Amino acid sequence: GEDVEQSLFLSVREGDSSVINCTYTDSSSTYLYWYKQEPGAGLQLLTYIFSNMDMKQDQRLTVLLNKKDKHLSLRIADTQTGDSAIYFCAESKGNNQGGKLIFGQGTELSVKP
Amino acid sequence: GAGVSQSPRYKVTKRGQDVALRCDPISGHVSLYWYRQALGQGPEFLTYFNYEAQQDKSGLPNDRFSAERPEGSISTLTIQRTEQRDSAMYRCATIQRANTGELFFGEGSRLTVL
């Protein structure tokens, strides 16, 4: 989606941390999301953050939100080969738009043993 | 059902033919969304329903695309007079409650127009 931008590829070694970055444009977005797509499968919600939060931690996942710069990041600690997938950042379109999301192009994460 | 089910998983058709893509949502999920995902891109919103009512169809590319959900459950996305540029993965997703963004996606229907 033209409103959400991500770098296309990231390669890390097993056990390292991965950081996937995203910029968005709609300052009225209420929630920002990270979805994961594994080969041949549908997208799966990983985590989300409310726009009035700076950080959210969920086990190995840490989401950081810089609302001033409209920058969102997803950090995966102790990355495993099973984390290899495409990760999509998404923003909600305005307030209370439910599942009408604007997705980025996706970042393909490759984890090398 | 346990998850969102889409059929057919793969559809190859000739230019000019009509196609119908089906989505069987998670039982009880209120809202149903259709997205289109081109190769190497993220999903793009097409349209959505709350129950049987189509709430927003602003993402449908042109009037060859239509969708319905007559009984508030199964939905069909129809593309008339298909063109090569319609080739993509068409994804259906549902939400348990109308005001969240936690989409449950199906595996998608891959459409190839020759």
Side-chain angles (χ1 to χ4, degrees):
Chain A
E2 60 184 6
D3 295 342
V4 180
E5 293 189 356
Q6 303 176 236
S7 53
L8 295 182
F9 300 101
L10 177 65
S11 180
V12 300
R13 292 219 171 268
E14 194 173 20
D16 288 350
S17 292
S18 307
V19 179
I20 303 172
N21 294 301
C22 167
T23 57
Y24 63 97
T25 57
D26 190 346
S27 57
S28 67
S29 293
T30 310
Y31 291 94
L32 294 135
Y33 303 86
W34 285 102
Y35 278 81
K36 177 182 180 182
Q37 181 179 347
E38 296 182 270
L43 283 78
Q44 176 188 10
L45 179 67
L46 268 184
T47 187
Y48 64 91
I49 188 167
F50 190 51
S51 59
N52 69 352
M53 297 170 64
D54 297 326
M55 185 180 85
K56 180 179 180 182
Q57 186 145 7
D58 184 359
Q59 298 182 333
R60 293 190 296 121
L61 305 178
T62 303
V63 179
L64 294 178
L65 175 60
N66 180 329
K67 202 172 178 184
K68 173 176 168 290
D69 294 337
K70 297 191 184 71
H71 182 266
L72 183 74
S73 68
L74 173 70
R75 178 176 180 270
I76 306 172
D78 187 24
T79 315
Q80 303 296 305
T81 54
D83 295 324
S84 293
I86 301 176
Y87 291 81
F88 292 94
C89 166
E91 61 173 345
S92 56
K93 194 64 176 169
N95 291 319
N96 284 330
Q97 293 286 330
K100 184 179 179 181
L101 305 184
I102 306 296
F103 286 85
Q105 289 177 287
T107 299
E108 184 173 351
L109 174 64
S110 173
V111 183
K112 301 190 184 317
Chain B
V4 178
S5 178
Q6 291 187 246
S7 60
R9 290 289 310 279
Y10 302 92
K11 176 72 177 177
V12 179
T13 191
K14 291 184 179 178
R15 190 173 49 190
Q17 297 294 305
D18 298 350
V19 298
L21 307 176
R22 173 185 164 127
C23 174
D24 203 337
I26 295 172
S27 178
H29 277 202
V30 168
S31 301
L32 184 147
Y33 291 75
W34 283 100
Y35 280 81
R36 178 168 72 171
Q37 186 176 11
L39 202 59
Q41 301 292 320
E44 288 186 297
F45 170 81
L46 294 178
T47 184
Y48 89 95
F49 296 82
N50 282 342
Y51 301 101
E52 73 283 356
Q54 190 169 21
Q55 299 291 325
D56 184 336
K57 54 182 181 178
S58 62
L60 296 176
N62 51 59
D63 60 8
R64 295 186 297 105
F65 287 73
S66 62
E68 62 175 9
R69 193 187 185 197
E71 296 177 3
S73 179
I74 292 168
S75 176
T76 303
L77 176 70
T78 301
I79 309 171
Q80 295 179 308
R81 305 180 302 283
T82 51
E83 301 177 6
Q84 284 185 323
R85 60 180 170 153
D86 300 334
S87 296
M89 178 74 83
Y90 289 82
R91 295 194 184 274
C92 174
T94 65
I95 290 181
Q96 189 171 18
R97 295 180 303 278
N99 63 345
T100 77
E102 184 175 1
L103 292 162
F104 291 84
F105 280 89
E107 292 178 324
S109 292
R110 181 168 292 286
L111 174 66
T112 302
V113 183
L114 302 177

